[in-house]
Amino acid sequence: MELTYGQVLALLGAALAVLLPGIGSAKGVGIVGESAAGVVTEDPGKFGQTLILQAIPGTQGIYGLLTGFVIMQRIGILGGKLLPLNLHQGLLILAAALPIAFVGLLSAIAQGRAAAAGVGIIAKRPEELAKGITYAAMVETYAVLALLASILMLFGIKL
């Protein structure tokens, strides 16, 4: 089976959409986990609160996976019949994947740092969990915008 340049570029877009936000989410969740472990060592009763904050940076990985699945579905690879894509179509799909790829990577790491600061809030004032979640959730806005941009671009490409 020979691949066209368009198919290769589209597959590269799917790979970047999944890979970069996944890396960012892993790093962000790890940052929060390191902070949470320190707090839970001192007070095991705060495990549940810190776990909520640790889960938040994982959403970018989900957004990237969703975008990757949309690309794979649109180009036919999930159904086993890869569409013949020209170079122009492949470039458009690659370009559509870039917002969630890069914003997902960077926002997950930034969100991990914000959530780790939220763990610090819980350490001193456990009743202020909502404030810690709110600070971390503000970063999420940009990941959601990037997801929307990528998905809207993908559905606007004629294949």
Side-chain angles (χ1 to χ4, degrees):
M1 175 178 153
E2 288 190 33
L3 296 175
T4 66
Y5 286 119
Q7 292 168 327
V8 171
L9 290 172
L11 290 170
L12 178 63
L16 288 174
V18 174
L19 179 70
L20 294 179
I23 290 170
S25 285
K27 195 164 176 84
V29 168
I31 291 168
V32 183
E34 291 171 11
S35 294
V39 171
V40 171
T41 299
E42 296 294 322
D43 185 357
K46 293 177 180 168
F47 174 75
Q49 290 177 310
T50 58
L51 188 60
I52 291 169
L53 286 167
Q54 188 181 18
I56 293 174
T59 55
Q60 284 85 347
I62 296 168
Y63 299 158
L65 184 62
L66 172 68
T67 304
F69 277 142
V70 168
I71 293 171
M72 289 186 276
Q73 187 276 329
R74 296 264 359 249
I75 66 173
I77 200 165
L78 291 181
K81 188 170 184 173
L82 190 59
L83 295 177
L85 302 172
N86 61 37
L87 182 61
H88 178 75
Q89 291 168 319
L91 281 172
L92 289 175
I93 291 171
L94 175 61
L98 294 181
I100 192 58
F102 286 105
V103 175
L105 169 70
L106 298 174
S107 70
I109 295 168
Q111 194 169 45
R113 291 185 181 131
V119 169
I121 292 172
I122 292 171
K124 293 183 179 178
R125 296 187 195 145
E127 69 279 2
E128 303 285 348
L129 173 62
K131 290 179 182 172
I133 292 173
T134 301
Y135 290 135
M138 293 301 292
V139 180
E140 186 83 16
T141 304
Y142 301 98
V144 170
L145 293 175
L147 172 66
L148 285 173
S150 287
I151 295 295
L152 290 173
M153 283 190 271
L154 284 170
F155 283 110
I157 299 169
K158 293 187 180 186
L159 301 178

